[in-house]
Amino acid sequence: MIVDCAHYRDGRRQHEGPMPLEQAAARCAQGGFVWLGMFEPGPEELARVRECFGLHELAVEDARGFHLRPKAEQYEDGTELIILRTARYDDEREEIDTGEISVFLAEHFVITVRQGIASELRGARSRLERRPELLQAGSASTLWAIFDQVVDSYAPVVAELERDIEQIEATVFSGEIAPTERIYFLRREATDFYRAVHPLLAVLGRRLQPGRSPAGLQPYFRDVHDHLLLVNEEVAAQRDLLATVLEANIAVISVEQNKINLRQSATMERLTILASVFLPLSFVVGFFGQNFDWLVTRISGFTAFLVLTLCGLLLPCLLLFVWLYRRDRGMPPPVPHMTNAVHRTPAAPGR
């Protein structure tokens, strides 16, 4: 829908309230320029705007879609299309809400098409209307006001991202495990934000070229460019920092997993030793539990039972002691000597 439409001449707005589309197109020939603001217009509205202002069909088609990167296009009739990405940080969801502003810039008109949230331009229009000396520079002054508001809106996003990154850093480098999903998600948000900020440097840099903007607006565009350059550097640093934090968190997870494995190994060792202690008793129980005639007939009294029991206990205990003693001293267990090994003569080559 059409949000506002105003005719500016001699640094002032020439009427109160919005004007009809056809009347706005007619006033383009009366000097000054017309600023038409639209929010998520439908195909029919864009078709009317194209007919009234003579826009290129490819430019209108670009304004309908949603782009991942800012860009600028120059058409043969002198109209320039500038596409900017807007951003707003939602702290509760830890997400960056993005929008888009398509600006059709010509000598006698400016048409802004806003898509999505975080693309409000009422503040830019009000601020510019309070600066008649800038309005007198023509339609390019509206582009400065839009750039300035969009770049200023990036600063809170950078600050909120920085705060969340500091929280994750404190968690990771304190030895605790931070949620890997949260780190990865923040890095993805920072990467998407970088795609909105970094290409805008080239778009804004075109306005600094000689003859691209009125001389009176050059210092203002340079000021916005400096702010954008700072934001770009901070976002790039945040993206690299999140990659480092992600690697550090993975290292912390690996260390904790190794500690768990060591504790499990120590527990299994204790259980193995405990089971080894009871092996002689299991041997004695199994030995006397055999119902063989030789064993039954040979145990005729307590003395025979005691001798067989002690021998059955002492021999396994002695072997267990020797094994543990050699293991503690780092000595390999003895290898039985094979006296009856069969020696084979190596076969001759080719046989």
Side-chain angles (χ1 to χ4, degrees):
M1 63 178 180
I2 297 178
V3 178
D4 197 358
C5 183
H7 178 217
Y8 298 95
R9 188 175 58 193
D10 300 328
R12 296 191 306 273
R13 183 167 180 157
Q14 300 299 311
H15 61 93
E16 295 293 335
M19 67 175 63
L21 190 60
E22 290 75 10
Q23 182 181 353
R27 289 208 178 189
C28 290
Q30 298 179 8
F33 66 93
V34 172
W35 184 356
L36 170 64
M38 309 181 72
F39 177 71
E40 295 185 353
E44 296 180 357
E45 285 183 306
L46 285 177
R48 287 182 56 203
V49 171
R50 178 193 169 193
E51 293 177 1
C52 292
F53 291 91
L55 301 178
H56 197 282
E57 59 178 350
L58 294 179
V60 175
E61 184 177 348
D62 278 342
R64 292 176 184 173
F66 198 86
H67 303 77
L68 295 177
R69 298 167 57 90
K71 70 171 187 175
E73 293 284 346
Q74 184 79 39
Y75 294 93
E76 296 178 356
D77 59 354
T79 304
E80 188 175 5
L81 173 63
I82 301 100
I83 297 178
L84 302 87
R85 294 287 306 280
T86 60
R88 183 182 64 188
Y89 193 78
D90 190 320
D91 186 60
E92 183 177 353
R93 295 183 290 114
E94 292 187 350
E95 293 183 8
I96 299 177
D97 298 324
T98 58
E100 184 175 294
I101 302 176
S102 300
V103 183
F104 297 91
L105 181 66
E107 182 180 359
H108 297 293
F109 65 83
V110 178
I111 302 173
T112 55
V113 179
R114 298 187 288 117
Q115 302 283 351
I117 58 178
S119 60
E120 178 64 44
L121 289 180
R122 184 176 303 172
R125 186 186 289 266
S126 300
R127 181 182 178 185
L128 188 60
E129 288 178 353
R130 294 192 298 267
R131 304 288 299 274
E133 71 279 7
L134 296 180
L135 277 172
Q136 289 180 354
S139 59
S141 61
T142 62
L143 189 60
W144 164 80
I146 295 171
F147 272 125
D148 189 57
Q149 177 166 318
V150 170
V151 173
D152 285 345
S153 67
Y154 290 161
V157 178
V158 173
E160 292 294 336
L161 278 175
E162 187 69 25
R163 185 175 62 85
D164 290 338
I165 293 173
E166 289 177 354
Q167 292 177 356
I168 294 177
E169 275 187 306
T171 302
V172 172
F173 294 106
S174 65
E176 300 180 5
I177 300 177
T180 305
E181 182 180 0
R182 183 188 181 194
I183 301 175
Y184 178 80
F185 186 78
L186 278 177
R187 187 169 187 269
R188 187 184 67 181
E189 292 295 302
T191 301
D192 291 342
F193 186 39
Y194 181 79
R195 294 195 185 103
V197 173
H198 183 70
L200 191 58
L201 286 171
V203 176
L204 186 54
R206 295 182 60 180
R207 314 309 308 179
L208 301 178
Q209 296 176 1
R212 301 292 301 185
S213 300
L217 292 177
Q218 287 290 331
Y220 296 93
F221 279 115
R222 281 197 298 269
D223 179 68
V224 177
H225 186 270
D226 292 340
H227 292 170
L228 182 61
L229 187 62
L230 178 61
V231 171
N232 178 75
E233 293 174 353
E234 291 178 347
V235 175
Q238 288 176 344
R239 195 175 59 157
D240 296 339
L241 181 59
L242 281 170
T244 304
V245 171
L246 182 60
E247 294 176 358
N249 186 62
I250 293 175
V252 171
I253 294 175
S254 300
V255 171
E256 292 297 325
Q257 188 65 40
N258 291 335
K259 291 180 180 179
I260 294 174
N261 293 336
L262 290 176
R263 288 196 294 266
Q264 291 177 347
S265 299
T267 302
M268 291 299 298
E269 183 180 5
R270 296 189 187 98
L271 292 176
T272 302
I273 294 174
L274 184 62
S276 301
V277 170
F278 284 96
L279 277 177
L281 296 177
S282 301
F283 174 76
V284 171
V285 172
F287 179 77
F288 287 103
Q290 300 177 91
N291 193 18
F292 293 128
D293 180 67
W294 180 87
L295 182 61
V296 175
T297 57
R298 293 302 189 278
I299 304 178
S300 57
F302 178 75
T303 302
F305 174 77
L306 184 61
V307 171
L308 291 174
T309 301
L310 291 177
C311 292
L313 283 175
L314 289 177
L315 183 60
C317 288
L318 181 61
L319 294 175
L320 179 62
F321 173 77
V322 171
W323 177 75
L324 292 175
Y325 178 75
R326 287 178 174 271
R327 189 203 63 171
D328 292 338
R329 295 187 60 183
M331 298 177 60
V335 179
H337 182 66
M338 300 181 64
T339 57
N340 296 326
V342 178
H343 298 279
R344 297 181 179 273
T345 303
R351 294 184 61 184

